[in-house]
Structures are given as C-alpha cells and as structure tokens.
Amino acid sequence: MTLKRPSLVRYLTLLVVYIFVVCATAQAQSNADLGQYRLGSGDVVKITVFGQEDLSVQTRLSNIGAINYPFLGDINLVGLTVNEVESKIDTGLRGDYLVNPSVFVTVLEYRPFFIDGAVNRPGGYPYQPGLSVNKAAALAGGFTERASREKIIIVRKITGVETTIEAAASDVILPGDIVTVQERFF
C-alpha cells in the first residue's frame, strides 16, 4: 500500500503543527515560571526609559539589592518582579520628572544555580531559562555512576524562606536553586 501524495503532505503538516504546539507550550511554561520571577542578588538587570538615555541603567544587584537610580535615589529591587520594578520606577518618575514615562526592565543575566552531590563537576553555573535537573546535571558533567535519579533535592528560597523540595530529574530549576543529587545504594 502506498501513500497518496496529499495524505503524506497532510501528515507532515499535522506533524509540524504538533511539534510547534509542543514547543510553544514548553516555552510558555518557562515564561510563566519566570513571569513571577523575583529578583535577587547576583541578577543583572537593564532599566530603560524610552527617549531618556540618562535614565537607562544596567547593573548587577548586590547582596543588599538596592541600586542608586537617577532622581529617585536608592531603590531596593530584591524580591520584586520585573513588572513591579517597572511600576515602581514609573510611579517615581511620573509627574515631577516625566509626563508619561515608558519604563522597561529586562533581566540580562540570572543569578547562578548550584549543583552538588553525585555529579561529575559540582559547582555554580549560569542559569538559563527552561533549565531542568537533567540539563543542570549535563552542565555539571553528567550524573556519576552511583547517582540516584529518584533522590534529588532542591533548596529554593520562597518569599525569603529556604524550602526543601523533593524533585525528579525532569523538574524545572530556578536561579539561585541549590540542587543536590544523592547517591543510590546499589
């Protein structure tokens, strides 16, 4: 039995659409995770005010998390989302300094994550959006022979409190996470 040409074209079209939907869904989930992302020390942010070059700033957040912003002085950014920072700067500049400021904040570089335990090269690595425990282990030289892919712990700060999460190898990690891959007994 041979496939007719229209059937093959239709099949390939459906396959391409399916792959596109799967990729778009994964990207949307990654963006949703980072949409509520709270800034922390070590993040590099860029603040741009449209048409106002002297108000555009690029900086790495220190341990204190405060930056000195023109006209507004010290602003604490740690714990805020990108949208909250935009709103805070917009509110501060509106009226006294600018009539209708257009403020855009982007995270240029996320703070690193750390991986230790049963991986070949434990340490700190630059975070990349969409990073899973498997991908993090790959960055760290892969799992060791004795690594347990079922016993993985993530330590994450949630609203300022360190929380321990039991994770699977496919779980997503976030900037600042500490991932520990435990060893198996056999």
Side-chain angles (χ1 to χ4, degrees):
M1 177 178 191
T2 60
L3 288 175
K4 295 180 183 177
R5 193 161 195 73
S7 297
L8 181 61
V9 171
R10 181 172 172 226
Y11 172 76
L12 291 176
T13 303
L14 289 173
L15 181 63
V16 168
V17 169
Y18 174 76
I19 291 170
F20 176 76
V21 168
V22 168
C23 291
T25 303
Q27 183 63 36
Q29 178 61 39
S30 176
N31 290 343
D33 292 339
L34 293 174
Q36 296 303 316
Y37 174 69
R38 302 230 171 244
L39 296 173
S41 60
D43 289 332
V44 176
V45 295
K46 182 175 182 179
I47 302 169
T48 306
V49 179
F50 183 72
Q52 303 294 323
E53 285 298 317
D54 54 332
L55 296 178
S56 295
V57 174
Q58 180 176 324
T59 186
R60 181 179 302 275
L61 300 181
S62 67
N63 288 338
I64 299 169
I67 64 166
N68 190 337
Y69 193 78
F71 300 121
L72 303 180
D74 289 339
I75 302 174
N76 190 1
L77 302 183
V78 169
L80 300 178
T81 65
V82 168
N83 290 339
E84 291 170 342
V85 173
E86 288 174 349
S87 178
K88 188 174 201 171
I89 293 173
D90 181 278
T91 301
L93 294 175
R94 188 174 295 276
D96 291 340
Y97 302 107
L98 297 172
V99 175
N100 190 17
S102 293
V103 180
F104 300 99
V105 177
T106 55
V107 180
L108 297 178
E109 184 181 316
Y110 295 95
R111 61 188 176 272
F113 72 92
F114 301 88
I115 186 165
D116 65 357
V119 292
N120 289 313
R121 290 191 311 267
Y125 293 90
Y127 176 78
Q128 301 163 15
L131 198 61
S132 67
V133 172
N134 272 334
K135 291 176 185 176
L139 288 173
F143 293 106
T144 64
E145 289 181 20
R146 298 204 27 126
S148 171
R149 295 176 194 227
E150 288 81 34
K151 293 183 181 178
I152 300 169
I153 296 172
I154 298 175
V155 176
R156 178 178 295 157
K157 276 194 177 179
I158 300 174
T159 62
V161 177
E162 281 193 357
T163 305
T164 301
I165 303 165
E166 291 184 21
S170 61
D171 286 351
V172 174
I173 64 172
L174 298 175
D177 280 356
I178 301 170
V179 180
T180 302
V181 179
Q182 298 179 349
E183 289 186 345
R184 58 186 161 87
F185 291 110
F186 299 102

